[in-house]
Amino acid sequence: MRAIIDEATDPWGIKVNRVEVKNIMPPEAIREAMEKQMRAERERREKILIAEGQKQSEILVAEGQKQAMILQAEAEKEAKIRKAEGEAAAIREVQTATADGLRVIKEAKIDEAVIKLRSLEALEKVAQGQATKLIIPADIQNMAGLAASLKELVK
């Protein structure tokens, strides 16, 4: 543009350093084409922004579900650990009670007579049951003698 202006002004000795265009009135067809192009560009940017928003939303939802699954798995793990610890404590308590009972029996110096009496009581309970077969120990005679001696002792 400057070269064309210099050609026209050089014969008069004028040098143009700056040119400003104040108002351009393009033809109607060019204006419509420019508007369509701007509208298409805005719509393209809008679609890109919507797609990126949906993508980010889906990523965040997936990450949230993943974290929820991890937390649920950790909670289940913790519950299983607590249950196992509780069961272990219960087993220890039962074994301690059994050991304490055996220790008391040993300290009481229970002899054969008491053990045979307990056997007889257990046999009596078994006999009262609904079983069709009853197994009787071979030393039943000793137990009968024990019962007689206990009877005498109680008198």
Side-chain angles (χ1 to χ4, degrees):
M1 199 165 153
R2 182 180 272 185
I4 293 171
I5 292 174
D6 283 344
E7 266 180 45
T9 57
D10 275 345
W12 292 328
I14 298 173
K15 178 71 175 161
V16 177
N17 289 328
R18 189 171 139 197
V19 176
E20 262 184 59
V21 179
K22 295 248 181 190
N23 192 5
I24 297 177
M25 296 297 287
E28 185 68 27
I30 292 175
R31 257 197 339 247
E32 287 177 8
M34 289 171 62
E35 287 175 7
K36 285 181 184 178
Q37 184 180 7
M38 288 188 311
R39 192 177 315 117
E41 181 63 25
R42 281 193 299 266
E43 288 174 2
R44 182 186 71 81
R45 280 186 269 148
E46 177 187 13
K47 288 178 183 178
I48 289 171
L49 289 174
I50 290 172
E52 286 177 354
Q54 287 175 344
K55 175 184 171 185
Q56 190 65 27
S57 172
E58 289 174 5
I59 288 171
L60 292 174
V61 167
E63 287 177 0
Q65 289 174 346
K66 178 183 170 186
Q67 289 176 354
M69 289 173 58
I70 289 170
L71 289 175
Q72 182 179 1
E74 287 176 357
E76 289 174 5
K77 172 186 156 189
E78 190 67 26
K80 287 179 181 179
I81 289 171
R82 296 283 184 245
K83 182 178 178 184
E85 287 173 349
E87 289 175 358
I91 290 170
R92 278 193 299 276
E93 289 292 324
V94 168
Q95 294 300 325
T96 301
T98 302
D100 290 345
L102 290 173
R103 193 176 308 109
V104 167
I105 290 171
K106 187 174 183 179
E107 289 171 359
K109 297 184 179 174
I110 296 178
D111 59 357
E112 281 291 316
V114 174
I115 293 174
K116 286 184 180 180
L117 178 63
R118 289 290 194 176
S119 298
L120 189 59
E121 288 172 354
L123 183 62
E124 180 181 334
K125 286 182 183 176
V126 170
Q128 290 175 358
Q130 304 257 338
T132 57
K133 294 182 181 178
L134 187 63
I135 299 173
I136 300 174
D139 62 345
I140 192 72
Q141 291 176 347
N142 292 341
M143 290 177 67
L146 175 66
S149 62
L150 283 175
K151 189 175 180 183
E152 289 295 322
L153 186 64
V154 171
K155 288 182 184 178

